[in-house]
Amino acid sequence: MAKDLALYPADRKGELLELASIDDLKTMARQVRRDIVRMLAMANSGHTGGSLGMADIFTALYFRLISHNPHGFWEHDDEDMVFLSNGHIAPVWYSVLARSGYFPLSELGSLRQINSYLQGHPTSEAKLPGIRIASGSLGQGLSAAAGAALGLRIDGRTSRVFCLMGDGECQEGQIWEGAMSAAHYGLGNLIGIVDYNNQQIDGEVDKVMNIEPFADKWRAFGWNVFSCDGNDIEDVIATIDGIFSMTDRKNPSVVLASTIMGKGVPFFEGSMADGSNWHGKPPSMGDAEKALALLGETVFGDFPV
């Protein structure tokens, strides 16, 4: 909850960090998972499963794949754009934004607190660097991303637009309206990435509302379709680099990134014996202590509290 929050201070910057090797990226993804567990346990609220499952993809995006300027986010209009449609996995986004320098690591301890800049779903009125639109009302992000991609093309810019979505979210009709529009306008600068984990808050996607044949649906809507292991950073990078290398992209592209909900902490992963999952459940302090022991400390260090 935030009421009449002042604009985020322009002089409050994080430390810029570049990661040279795949091993560095893998270590950072593990640190991001540590951040997520600590943030959620401290808040006693939020979404564990999808945040942990997407740590590798967000790390690959911000530390290897996208063109961006964390310290000049509002001043530079030639950057790649990232839209998080499934806004409930905001903890992983906040962690990676802080780790790449958009704002200080100390902000991470304020997740979901009253008058925090880091609300449970991303908000935009206070202009937190890295966040372009409020999101989390599922189904809406792809339309916004398509509009941004079209605007960039009209302006003659070559920046790329990424839209992160959940597979359960793709039960929403607006996703397919956005997909149809993106293909109609030939938005080759738009890349969708779907967290393809077959999990949503009410259970397994194929049981709640089956979306298969999923890849065929995207193809039928005029998209180039790619698949990767979303928990393998090297595969994520190779797949998206392959999209970049297509010299004449006239259609939008989507990556169906197979992930494991809760990845990195075995007792958070996938479906539980009773059919439940960790989609929208935060870890207790005891759970967090066990999870952090499994993840292990990294050279990047935990955020201060």
Side-chain angles (χ1 to χ4, degrees):
M1 176 180 178
K3 181 176 176 60
D4 299 328
L5 198 60
L7 293 180
Y8 194 81
D11 60 351
R12 195 181 297 178
K13 309 287 189 183
E15 180 181 350
L16 295 174
L17 180 64
E18 294 184 3
L19 303 181
S21 71
I22 293 294
D23 284 344
D24 288 341
L25 292 172
K26 291 178 179 179
T27 302
M28 176 56 76
R30 182 158 55 88
Q31 181 60 59
V32 167
R33 290 186 167 97
R34 288 183 63 87
D35 291 347
I36 291 165
V37 169
R38 295 180 68 230
M39 292 161 70
L40 292 170
M42 291 167 62
N44 193 29
S45 178
H47 294 72
T48 301
S51 298
L52 290 173
M54 289 291 281
D56 305 293
I57 288 173
F58 273 88
T59 300
L61 281 176
Y62 278 86
F63 287 101
R64 180 60 61 90
L65 291 166
I66 68 171
S67 174
H68 63 128
N69 185 330
H71 284 185
F73 179 74
W74 296 114
E75 292 78 34
H76 293 263
D77 56 11
D78 57 351
E79 300 178 335
D80 291 342
M81 296 183 177
V82 177
F83 292 86
L84 178 62
S85 189
N86 52 335
H88 55 273
I89 66 167
V92 64
W93 200 14
Y94 293 148
S95 170
V96 172
L97 287 173
R99 293 283 169 184
S100 56
Y102 283 82
F103 46 81
L105 291 175
S106 57
E107 293 285 2
L108 298 180
S110 69
L111 176 73
R112 286 180 171 253
Q113 303 301 314
I114 292 176
N115 291 328
S116 168
Y117 289 99
L118 275 57
Q119 292 299 297
H121 290 72
T123 60
S124 55
E125 69 274 13
K127 300 195 76 172
L128 180 70
I131 310 295
R132 296 183 185 277
I133 63 167
S135 65
S137 183
L138 294 178
Q140 296 183 357
L142 186 57
S143 296
L150 181 58
L152 288 171
R153 192 177 70 189
I154 290 171
D155 289 344
R157 296 176 182 158
T158 58
S159 303
R160 300 161 298 211
V161 179
F162 293 82
C163 182
L164 287 297
M165 299 167 275
D167 52 359
E169 178 183 12
C170 293
Q171 296 160 344
E172 298 273 0
Q174 190 174 341
I175 288 289
W176 300 104
E177 293 179 33
M180 181 168 55
S181 296
H184 173 78
Y185 289 107
L187 301 179
N189 57 342
L190 176 60
I191 300 172
I193 302 176
V194 179
D195 182 9
Y196 197 22
N197 62 14
N198 195 41
Q199 300 284 335
Q200 59 190 110
I201 197 166
D202 291 326
E204 296 178 358
V205 172
D206 59 359
K207 293 182 174 63
V208 175
M209 179 63 69
N210 190 20
I211 58 174
E212 301 298 340
F214 197 42
D216 289 342
K217 286 185 171 73
W218 286 100
R219 291 190 187 97
F221 274 74
W223 287 57
N224 301 314
V225 181
F226 301 83
S227 298
C228 76
D229 181 344
N231 294 133
D232 182 330
I233 284 180
E234 290 172 283
D235 196 17
V236 172
I237 291 171
T239 300
I240 295 178
D241 274 344
I243 296 173
F244 292 166
S245 69
M246 297 167 62
T247 56
D248 189 23
R249 293 201 310 274
K250 294 182 178 179
N251 295 323
S253 300
V254 65
V255 178
L256 308 184
S258 297
T259 66
I260 297 173
M261 176 175 278
K263 178 67 175 179
V265 180
F267 60 88
F268 290 155
E269 292 181 356
S271 296
M272 304 298 105
D274 62 359
S276 65
N277 58 44
W278 283 82
H279 174 100
K281 184 169 72 170
S284 66
M285 285 297 182
D287 291 330
E289 185 176 348
K290 295 175 185 176
L292 293 171
L294 290 169
L295 288 166
E297 296 183 3
T298 80
V299 295
F300 300 113
D302 291 332
F303 63 82
V305 294

